[in-house]
Amino acid sequence: MTAETGIGARVTRKEDVRFITGRGRYTDDINGHGQLHAVFARSPYAHARIRSLNLAAARQAPGVAAVLTGEDLAAGGVGALPCGWMIHSRDGSPMKQPAHPALAQGTVRYVGEPYAVVIAASREQAQAAAELIDGDFEELPANVDTGSAQSFQPIHADIPNNLCYDWTLGDEAATDAAFAGAAHVVELDIVNNRLIPNAIEPRAALGDYDPGTDVLTLFTTSQNPHLARLVLSAFVGLAPEHKLRVVSPDVGGGFGSKIFIYSEETVCGWASKKLRRPVKWTADRSEAFLNDAHGRDHVTRARLALDADGRFLGLKVSTIANLGAYMSTFSSSIPTYLYGTLLAGQYTTPAIFVEVKAVFTNTTPVDAYRGAGRPEATFLLERIVETAARDLGMDPAALRRKNMVPRDAFPYATPVALVYDTGDYQACLDKALAMADYDGFPARREAARARGRLRGIGLSCYIEACGLAPSRLAGQLGAGVGLYESAEIRVNPTGNVTVFTGTHSHGQGHETTFAQVVSDRFGIPLDQVEVVHGDTAQGQFGLGTYGSRSLAVGGSALMKASDKVIAKGTRIAAYLLETTPDDIDFEGGVFRARGTNKTKTFGEIAFAAYVPHNYPLEELEPGLQETAFYDPQNFTYPAGTYVCEVEVDPETGGTEIVKFTAVDDFGQVINPMIVEGQVHGGIAQGIGQALLEACRYDRESGQLLSGSLMDYAMPRADDLVNFDLDVVRTDCTHNPLGVKGCGEAGAIGSPPAVINAITDAIGVRTLDMPATPLKVWTAMQAGNAAATGS
């Protein structure tokens, strides 16, 4: 280990060599001997009763091995796809969870829902046969609108008003009292637009059953293979856990959409067992649009109470959250504990009350998407704070600073159940304003006006809670699994190291970052550390990667395991150096007997651990291999300030981002280059939501209108600018690395900064995302009409 490769070094990613040379190994690259291919028949209707399915022609088509339906899966003992987090309504009743079969049984409830699968010798034969399925459907009324879902006829017969739960958090009486005594009340209606994930690699699955061992191996594009194995075994009934191996090889992006248990991997695994041959499926982009879990989709009314000096007194929020047609693996927790708990933001608002009504509609299920509840909370809060500043004629930065949690107030308990351990929000704001030349903005605005352009500036001060924790509390709040993480370190006899982690890397750079931690800890070269993940047969049980948890939770488990390795190495060194463990120091890869010049290198101790000639085996067993689990005491709380500057063409409504500044507090940064890459990607996704991306359904038919990249706009390089990034550092107080999550921050902080900048430029109060040229132009015309009284 050197200063160029240890903690804090800008190390080039080890894994990039195989990716940029085309040597990555993705699920679609894997093939089984004699494999078959699956193609799913999907509903053409948003809501319909299946009267009958004539499968005869499909079953007789060339190359077809089987045509299976939901009834076949049910008869084979395959259970419904579960939701893993129980939410209770304000009256204490449990959420209403409809059965979610892997293949629809009796009724289809969204366009694209699979109701049958054709398995054939080739994908082309399976596709041709699927088109021969003759389905007789009775089309039923469909609703795709979030706001009106409760007044629509039930999508599931046993769930009145399409209401899954009516959840609340906070002190309603105290919040009402705050509003009663307020000098100013600001109200805002906010829509958080539905998004489609669009990871660069589409989902895929390969079920490969071995009749000789009765073991089913499932290769799949999962962010958490261990959890997939648990759910598919314990709840879906695919195979006993010890007879099920789940492998997630290289995965090309996830953004949350690959956390969940889907129909396709379930069916491929079960069909492989039934047919005793490998069964493979890879989504095309149209299937990804239709079936990958969507994100966001909130309709909210927010009210902020302030005193005469601009101090926040209370916040009241009422949200309708769209769950889609069924619950997904973690969907219930996203608009509740990952949303309502973040509504304090960086501010000292003393009273907050939030109510969330989660509803079913005839749309694709909605679940976590990069940020998962935190972007929705931040957008709401930062939009209403910006609006309050304008309504009161105050500088938006000054209003924020006036209400921020003071530096000396940590740990700070919010009125919505969180305790922030550390932070310096004022420092982030000050640095961002300086980098953005906030004071010089009026001159830039005038210069733009002289060129016929409208220039605006917008702020966003975000906070994120990541690394869900602790397990015991999460269990009390309804989580179906623990939220700890595991690590195993195997020191080989020659001194190099293999690390097994329960997290999963699908673009985050774990193979580099985790290796840096171990290299730094043991004082060995970076290239002597190998990081292994994604195979339930190799590493011990872990919870995967989501919610910016990998380094804060998985890295902390790694630190605990490394402590155990060093502790055992210290005992071995004490025997070899003829002293006591208390008199051994370890630093820079060397064990040293204190007060002497006697030393042993890490490699020498590793070799001695496996060739134990010089220490008593009855006291110290051979080997140098340790495991650890880490259960966090609390979330980590990254925070920051983003400043966006835009210019708008008043003739067309077209918006150009001309400057974007981001200052984040991620605690200790292990690899600045990787962190900057994560922030860049997050900001790009946030700008995509703010300006371009919108999942649209036809309100009458329920058809997905934005079902391809021709209809769903995503950000390109020419939509962005070079981002100006910097950091403020306050270390997390409760994990051994002092780190905070960084993977989602950019997507959380950027959308409100962009919309605040546009509304500042064009002088309007409200503007829904995405701020397309048509929306911006229409808002300007409405604003001009109101100003002239016409």
Side-chain angles (χ1 to χ4, degrees):
M1 187 275 300
T2 67
E4 290 75 33
T5 61
I7 288 176
R10 303 177 70 89
V11 177
T12 303
R13 298 194 337 164
K14 296 173 65 176
E15 51 269 65
D16 282 352
V17 173
R18 71 174 186 273
F19 292 143
I20 64 177
T21 56
R23 293 181 173 87
R25 186 170 182 259
Y26 299 89
T27 298
D28 190 55
D29 295 323
I30 301 169
N31 296 291
H33 178 69
Q35 77 182 13
L36 301 167
H37 294 263
V39 168
F40 289 83
R42 301 185 183 275
S43 172
Y45 302 104
H47 196 194
R49 186 173 294 111
I50 304 174
R51 288 180 174 142
S52 65
L53 296 175
N54 186 341
L55 309 175
R59 284 173 170 156
Q60 294 168 11
V64 171
V67 180
L68 305 170
T69 66
E71 287 70 25
D72 294 318
L73 267 67
V78 178
L81 308 180
C83 177
W85 199 300
M86 172 56 70
I87 297 295
H88 289 83
S89 291
R90 67 173 81 201
D91 63 3
S93 61
M95 66 187 187
K96 308 295 190 299
Q97 183 174 356
H100 184 186
L103 296 177
Q105 299 172 28
T107 303
V108 288
R109 293 182 171 88
Y110 66 94
V111 173
E113 180 175 5
Y115 62 84
V117 62
V118 176
I119 300 168
S122 72
R123 182 184 177 118
E124 293 74 19
Q125 289 174 321
Q127 182 65 55
E131 294 172 3
L132 298 176
I133 294 176
D134 184 9
D136 182 10
F137 296 88
E138 177 190 350
E139 191 169 3
L140 302 171
N143 176 58
V144 298
D145 181 62
T146 304
S148 62
Q150 293 173 81
S151 60
F152 194 77
Q153 67 183 52
I155 292 169
H156 301 277
D158 55 345
I159 301 180
N161 304 316
N162 295 309
L163 184 64
C164 178
Y165 54 75
D166 180 3
W167 176 86
T168 64
L169 180 67
D171 188 331
E172 186 172 19
T175 306
D176 287 342
F179 276 85
H184 306 282
V185 174
V186 179
E187 187 169 298
L188 202 60
D189 290 328
I190 296 170
V191 174
N192 207 290
N193 44 323
R194 177 183 278 239
L195 303 176
I196 299 174
N198 277 307
I200 193 168
E201 177 205 23
R203 288 189 298 113
L206 170 64
D208 192 351
Y209 176 67
D210 183 346
T213 60
D214 191 32
V215 170
L216 172 63
T217 300
L218 180 64
F219 297 91
T220 183
T221 48
S222 175
Q223 296 178 217
N224 47 5
H226 292 278
L227 187 62
R229 180 188 185 215
L230 172 63
V231 172
L232 289 169
S233 174
F235 300 98
V236 179
L238 198 58
E241 194 169 7
H242 68 298
K243 295 293 186 180
L244 177 60
R245 176 189 179 193
V246 176
V247 182
S248 295
D250 290 328
V251 173
F255 314 116
S257 69
K258 293 175 182 174
I259 300 171
F260 323 120
I261 308 302
Y262 286 96
S263 298
E264 292 86 1
E265 60 254 34
T266 302
V267 171
C268 286
W270 182 76
S272 178
K273 289 186 70 175
K274 182 178 177 65
L275 301 175
R276 299 198 165 206
R277 290 176 66 181
V279 176
K280 183 176 182 178
W281 167 82
T282 300
D284 59 31
R285 187 58 63 181
S286 293
E287 286 181 292
F289 271 90
L290 288 168
N291 283 88
D292 289 2
H294 293 174
R296 316 289 194 251
D297 204 342
H298 285 193
V299 175
T300 297
R301 172 158 291 181
R303 300 173 70 227
L304 179 65
L306 304 93
D307 69 13
D309 295 324
R311 297 275 182 190
F312 300 163
L313 301 177
L315 177 69
K316 197 161 190 178
V317 174
S318 180
T319 293
I320 303 172
N322 193 343
L323 296 177
Y326 301 97
M327 304 195 77
S328 180
T329 309
F330 290 115
S331 60
S332 58
S333 65
I334 308 306
T336 51
Y337 291 112
L338 297 182
Y339 168 68
T341 55
L342 272 296
L343 288 173
Q346 297 186 10
Y347 310 115
T348 57
T349 313
I352 300 174
F353 179 76
V354 55
E355 60 180 8
V356 177
K357 293 178 170 64
V359 297
F360 294 108
T361 61
N362 294 110
T363 61
T364 299
V366 177
D367 209 316
Y369 174 70
R370 196 171 192 169
R374 283 71 56 91
E376 295 92 313
T378 299
F379 185 77
L380 178 160
L381 188 59
E382 289 304 293
R383 283 291 295 122
I384 201 167
V385 168
E386 189 87 7
T387 303
R390 296 174 190 173
D391 286 357
L392 299 177
M394 294 184 65
D395 176 71
L399 181 64
R400 286 175 167 87
R401 185 180 286 106
K402 178 188 286 279
N403 287 280
M404 280 179 170
V405 177
R407 294 182 177 92
D408 60 359
F410 295 96
Y412 177 77
T414 77
V416 279
L418 297 182
V419 178
Y420 303 160
D421 64 323
T422 186
D424 192 339
Y425 308 147
Q426 294 84 354
C428 288
L429 176 61
D430 291 343
K431 181 173 279 192
L433 295 180
M435 290 171 59
D437 185 20
Y438 188 73
D439 291 340
F441 172 72
R444 295 193 296 278
R445 170 174 268 172
E446 288 305 313
R449 184 175 285 117
R451 292 184 280 105
R453 308 278 284 185
L454 303 176
R455 194 163 181 127
I457 195 166
L459 307 184
S460 172
C461 296
Y462 79 91
I463 190 166
E464 181 186 3
C466 46
L468 299 176
S471 293
R472 182 175 181 182
L473 176 60
Q476 293 170 352
L477 298 177
V481 294
L483 297 170
Y484 54 82
E485 196 45 77
S486 67
E488 179 182 355
I489 296 178
R490 297 180 189 173
V491 181
N492 300 312
T494 53
N496 46 46
V497 175
T498 305
V499 171
F500 297 86
T501 174
T503 66
H504 187 277
S505 181
H506 38 277
Q508 293 87 349
H510 294 176
E511 294 174 38
T512 302
T513 305
F514 284 12
Q516 284 181 259
V517 171
V518 173
S519 168
D520 192 272
R521 196 83 176 95
F522 293 159
I524 61 177
L526 190 71
D527 61 7
Q528 290 189 19
V529 183
E530 187 76 12
V531 178
V532 178
H533 60 90
D535 187 344
T536 62
Q538 293 194 57
Q540 60 192 1
F541 188 88
L543 274 299
T545 292
Y546 50 86
S548 301
R549 71 187 299 271
S550 293
L551 190 59
V553 188
S556 294
L558 195 58
M559 287 291 286
K560 288 185 67 176
S562 69
D563 287 343
K564 293 180 180 181
V565 168
I566 292 170
K568 185 171 182 180
T570 297
R571 294 177 65 190
I572 296 172
Y575 280 111
L576 299 181
L577 300 177
E578 299 177 313
T579 185
T580 66
D582 289 342
D583 286 325
I584 294 291
D585 295 321
F586 177 71
E587 185 178 359
V590 176
F591 293 88
R592 184 182 306 276
R594 194 175 301 129
T596 76
N597 62 357
K598 295 192 293 184
T599 62
K600 291 289 182 182
T601 66
F602 183 83
E604 288 174 321
I605 294 299
F607 189 78
Y610 290 94
V611 187
H613 298 320
N614 297 308
Y615 62 87
L617 295 181
E618 64 273 13
E619 295 183 23
L620 199 60
E621 65 185 22
L624 197 55
Q625 176 176 326
E626 298 290 348
T627 64
F629 288 82
Y630 176 76
D631 192 35
Q633 303 172 26
N634 192 359
F635 292 91
T636 69
Y637 297 100
T641 294
Y642 289 1
V643 185
C644 178
E645 221 168 302
V646 302
E647 287 191 0
V648 176
D649 183 342
E651 298 297 321
T652 66
T655 298
E656 178 187 5
I657 295 175
V658 293
K659 187 175 179 62
F660 199 103
T661 304
V663 175
D664 299 283
D665 177 3
F666 297 134
Q668 175 164 255
V669 172
I670 305 300
N671 186 320
M673 183 190 70
I674 288 178
V675 167
E676 289 166 9
Q678 288 288 305
V679 174
H680 276 237
I683 292 173
Q685 276 185 282
I687 290 173
Q689 176 175 14
L691 294 183
L692 300 164
E693 298 183 47
C695 173
R696 301 291 192 199
Y697 286 91
D698 182 82
R699 293 174 67 92
E700 297 299 322
S701 68
Q703 294 292 324
L704 180 64
L705 300 178
S706 52
S708 75
L709 292 172
M710 293 292 290
D711 312 295
Y712 186 92
M714 295 183 67
R716 304 181 306 181
D718 60 357
D719 294 310
L720 308 174
V721 293
N722 289 325
F723 307 133
D724 296 325
L725 308 183
D726 207 339
V727 294
V728 165
R729 177 173 171 178
T730 65
D731 286 1
C732 176
T733 61
H734 55 78
N735 70 54
L737 284 166
V739 298
K740 306 176 184 181
C742 72
E744 297 166 297
I748 294 169
S750 55
V754 174
I755 298 300
N756 285 338
I758 297 172
T759 54
D760 178 57
I762 66 176
V764 301
R765 198 169 187 273
T766 62
L767 182 68
D768 287 338
M769 297 185 290
T772 61
L774 176 60
K775 275 189 186 176
V776 173
W777 185 87
T778 302
M780 284 192 293
Q781 305 316 304
N784 292 337
T788 60
S790 59

